[in-house]
Amino acid sequence: MNFSHIIKTVSSQTFNNKGQLMHLCNVFLRRTRRGTRAGKSVQRAIPVITSKINHYDSQNIICHKQHGANIANLAKIPLLKTNSLISDEINTNNNIVISVLNCRSVKNKALSISDYVVSNKLDMFAITETWLGSSIDESVKQELVPTGYDFLQLNREHRRGGGIALMFKKGMNIEYLPNNDICIDQFEHMDFSFCHAKTCVKFCVIYRPPPSKSNDLRTSLFFDQWNSYLDRIVTFPHEFIITGDFNFHVDDKNDSNAMKFLQTLEDHNLTQHISTATHIRGHTLDLFITRSESNLLRTKASVHEPNLFDARGNPFCDHHAIQAVLAGAKPKKISKTFTFRKWKTVDQVELSKDIVLDIPDTNPSVDELANQYDSELRDVVEKHAPLVTKSVLLRPNTQWYSDELRESKRNRRRAERKWRETGLEIHRQIFKERCSNTGKLLHQTKQDFFSKKIEDCSGDHKQLFKLSNSLMGKQHDIVLPTSTSNTELSNKFAHFFINKVTTIRNVLSQQHSFNRELSLAEDTPFNGEPLP
DNA sequence: TGGATATCAACGAGTAAGTT
DNA sequence: AACTTACTCGTTGATATCCA
């Protein structure tokens, strides 16, 4: 429907008043789809021509295609051999498995990454380009970090993108070592330490963004800072590992900067262990560096595809993961102890029978009565719902896993083993397909599970808030204020709320109109921390 | 250049207050 | 009581912007 059509329609009819005319115009001009620039009637940009490519049809006649991917331009990534995947033999209790991956945002891949960590039983997982930053990302972290793992992150400040993180098993005793005394702005880095075979090992994760005019990074400055950084690291008296995405094409002998970078490693008596492509375009960008004489690695550090898939089963990672295995005992499994009473199993009739309070004839004081009441009720509760202590091993939360998903993961693992055994392309294709299906199912199963949980919460706001908070990563233990006695604690609460009410009354009495923001600004919210 | 995220504008649903 | 109005909030889908 265009404007000339409206004019034509309008001119062919007689209208009693201006209102009728306006109504008709409104009917014609009313948008039927959301979004200003949305809708089928909107003129859209001409599709981008990516390349002019020639291909041959079934009769071998050359055809000219105006747009689309030119398959001839795709770089072939060599098939990786048996040691490319984290095998069951490697993942024993005597090895520590480390993986490093440039994720290019964990926000939309959190579930897949979490599954990658759990499925491969990783002990440490270093991530570059997390793209984390805002407070909203707490929900991403909740989905990203499996139970039993800890997460340390360093977000890029002032700009989007970048960011480094380390996910590790709780028993690893990892400690973050901030380098506040040296100025490094040409690359992002996080240094950690952990104990391995009775010695302290330094673990450094690096991300070097490619220099450009917009980010004001310069390769020459990088080398200055990098050399200073290495000078400092090599003085560390024990073993260390430097890994991450350096964005140098170290596979390209004609790349002068990459060769210069490798020279800095040689100058510091370091060895870079990655020799195959770590990026889909065939370059080696992600590196794994140790001292030349290091004995840390049990097997040669290798590269493998992480096989991360989105909810539609499409792959979405342009980097490959580095995998390294250190000889050493895996961290001890951490368990959590908690106490509770089984209130739901209490027989209410029996309970009420036992609640018999004898009031003594001797005129007791209120305090005496309260103490007696408290003591007798405690005994009754202890009888019907005794305090139970339970210890639970912290393991990745799989409550939402369905039988179908478990079977799908088993099939994926079978296909993986078959491919590793034969090395045939057909088996690789089958494995990729299974990965895609499992990735799709993973998202769907979790979505279905929590959709049903939310439905079940209908009418129960407390449960709904609890569920939404846990999904949004807002779950935290309630911390009561410090106190020497229950009396002092209850008095603290009383004073807090008296002050709260007094503050609000004072503000209201000083204002002619209620200013909600001002009133709340005057008030101090109680957040579980010790009261002032 | 492509992918991911941020932002924008329009809309629907819901609600409180005012009007008839 | 029924209706109107103004407003908020969340959703949707397109565009803008950023990053590698």
Side-chain angles (χ1 to χ4, degrees), chain A residues 491-506:
Chain A
N491 285 338
K492 272 187 177 180
F493 271 115
H495 288 136
F496 176 81
F497 287 108
I498 289 168
N499 287 340
K500 195 182 182 82
V501 172
T502 310
T503 307
I504 293 172
R505 279 186 172 167
N506 289 341

Side-chain angles (χ1 to χ4, degrees), chain A residues 132-144:
Chain A
L132 288 172
S134 64
S135 58
I136 304 164
D137 296 342
E138 285 303 310
S139 61
V140 177
K141 273 168 63 182
Q142 193 277 334
E143 188 162 59
L144 179 70

Side-chain angles (χ1 to χ4, degrees), chain A residues 422-437:
Chain A
T422 65
L424 294 174
E425 179 60 20
I426 181 69
H427 289 138
R428 179 177 173 272
Q429 292 294 332
I430 292 170
F431 171 52
K432 296 287 280 183
E433 193 189 328
R434 297 260 168 93
C435 286
S436 170
N437 290 339

Side-chain angles (χ1 to χ4, degrees), chain A residues 296-417:
Chain A
L296 268 178
L297 291 179
R298 179 166 187 142
T299 59
K300 192 176 183 307
S302 56
V303 176
H304 68 94
E305 291 179 63
N307 288 313
L308 302 179
F309 290 83
D310 64 12
R312 293 178 181 172
N314 300 320
F316 55 64
C317 199
D318 56 354
H319 281 253
H320 301 320
I322 292 176
Q323 176 225 319
V325 180
L326 313 186
K330 274 190 182 297
K332 283 181 183 171
K333 288 176 180 168
I334 304 288
S335 58
K336 188 181 178 183
T337 305
F338 57 96
T339 52
F340 59 96
R341 294 180 193 274
K342 293 179 181 175
W343 294 111
K344 285 183 182 173
T345 59
V346 170
D347 186 332
Q348 292 187 19
V349 180
E350 291 297 315
L351 179 75
S352 58
K353 279 182 191 169
D354 284 341
I355 302 175
V356 182
L357 296 172
D358 291 326
I359 300 174
D361 299 332
T362 55
N363 203 14
S365 68
V366 175
D367 284 346
E368 281 172 349
L369 273 176
N371 286 338
Q372 185 194 347
Y373 183 72
D374 181 65
S375 162
E376 288 188 14
L377 277 186
R378 278 175 191 277
D379 292 343
V380 172
V381 166
E382 206 57 48
K383 180 183 171 188
H384 289 269
L387 209 59
V388 180
T389 303
K390 202 171 178 182
S391 185
V392 174
L393 211 60
L394 284 180
R395 50 163 65 101
N397 186 2
T398 55
Q399 58 162 336
W400 51 272
Y401 275 29
S402 65
D403 291 343
E404 190 186 3
L405 179 61
R406 286 197 178 90
E407 185 59 34
S408 179
K409 290 182 92 165
R410 264 196 293 274
N411 285 336
R412 181 179 67 178
R413 196 68 172 160
R414 270 189 216 122
E416 180 191 345
R417 286 203 190 95

Side-chain angles (χ1 to χ4, degrees), chain A residues 206-475:
Chain A
I206 309 280
Y207 174 62
R208 171 186 168 259
S212 70
K213 282 181 185 174
S214 59
N215 62 21
D216 210 26
L217 299 179
R218 291 179 194 158
T219 309
S220 56
L221 287 175
F222 165 79
F223 279 114
D224 291 343
Q225 294 184 2
W226 174 244
N227 277 312
S228 305
Y229 181 74
L230 284 186
D231 289 344
R232 189 187 174 109
I233 294 280
V234 293
T235 59
F236 185 66
H238 307 292
E239 294 267 25
F240 61 82
I241 296 165
I242 304 172
T243 186
D245 180 4
F246 289 80
N247 274 308
F248 282 121
H249 295 180
V250 296
D251 54 294
D252 186 356
K253 304 287 179 206
N254 298 319
D255 188 324
S256 58
N257 283 330
M259 293 306 110
K260 190 177 172 183
F261 176 78
L262 292 178
Q263 187 60 49
T264 63
L265 301 184
E266 204 175 319
D267 293 346
H268 289 86
N269 195 27
L270 304 176
T271 299
Q272 199 287 110
H273 296 267
I274 306 301
S275 53
T276 51
T278 64
H279 190 263
I280 54 170
R281 290 185 184 167
H283 290 295
T284 308
L285 310 178
D286 303 270
L287 310 175
F288 198 90
I289 301 160
T290 63
R291 287 190 208 274
S292 296
E293 67 276 13
S294 169
N295 293 318
L296 268 178
L297 291 179
R298 179 166 187 142
T299 59
K300 192 176 183 307
S302 56
V303 176
H304 68 94
E305 291 179 63
N307 288 313
L308 302 179
F309 290 83
D310 64 12
R312 293 178 181 172
N314 300 320
F316 55 64
C317 199
D318 56 354
H319 281 253
H320 301 320
I322 292 176
Q323 176 225 319
V325 180
L326 313 186
K330 274 190 182 297
K332 283 181 183 171
K333 288 176 180 168
I334 304 288
S335 58
K336 188 181 178 183
T337 305
F338 57 96
T339 52
F340 59 96
R341 294 180 193 274
K342 293 179 181 175
W343 294 111
K344 285 183 182 173
T345 59
V346 170
D347 186 332
Q348 292 187 19
V349 180
E350 291 297 315
L351 179 75
S352 58
K353 279 182 191 169
D354 284 341
I355 302 175
V356 182
L357 296 172
D358 291 326
I359 300 174
D361 299 332
T362 55
N363 203 14
S365 68
V366 175
D367 284 346
E368 281 172 349
L369 273 176
N371 286 338
Q372 185 194 347
Y373 183 72
D374 181 65
S375 162
E376 288 188 14
L377 277 186
R378 278 175 191 277
D379 292 343
V380 172
V381 166
E382 206 57 48
K383 180 183 171 188
H384 289 269
L387 209 59
V388 180
T389 303
K390 202 171 178 182
S391 185
V392 174
L393 211 60
L394 284 180
R395 50 163 65 101
N397 186 2
T398 55
Q399 58 162 336
W400 51 272
Y401 275 29
S402 65
D403 291 343
E404 190 186 3
L405 179 61
R406 286 197 178 90
E407 185 59 34
S408 179
K409 290 182 92 165
R410 264 196 293 274
N411 285 336
R412 181 179 67 178
R413 196 68 172 160
R414 270 189 216 122
E416 180 191 345
R417 286 203 190 95
K418 187 75 183 171
W419 171 44
R420 286 176 48 219
E421 185 186 317
T422 65
L424 294 174
E425 179 60 20
I426 181 69
H427 289 138
R428 179 177 173 272
Q429 292 294 332
I430 292 170
F431 171 52
K432 296 287 280 183
E433 193 189 328
R434 297 260 168 93
C435 286
S436 170
N437 290 339
T438 307
K440 220 170 4 180
L441 196 60
L442 191 74
H443 287 83
Q444 192 58 50
T445 308
K446 189 169 187 185
Q447 188 179 319
D448 291 347
F449 178 84
F450 283 105
S451 297
K452 180 152 189 322
K453 272 217 144 190
I454 290 167
E455 269 179 32
D456 293 345
C457 288
S458 60
D460 189 342
H461 290 162
K462 190 182 172 188
Q463 285 300 321
L464 189 60
F465 269 100
K466 201 176 165 188
L467 179 64
S468 64
N469 279 340
S470 73
L471 287 174
M472 297 302 290
K474 291 179 181 172
Q475 206 170 25

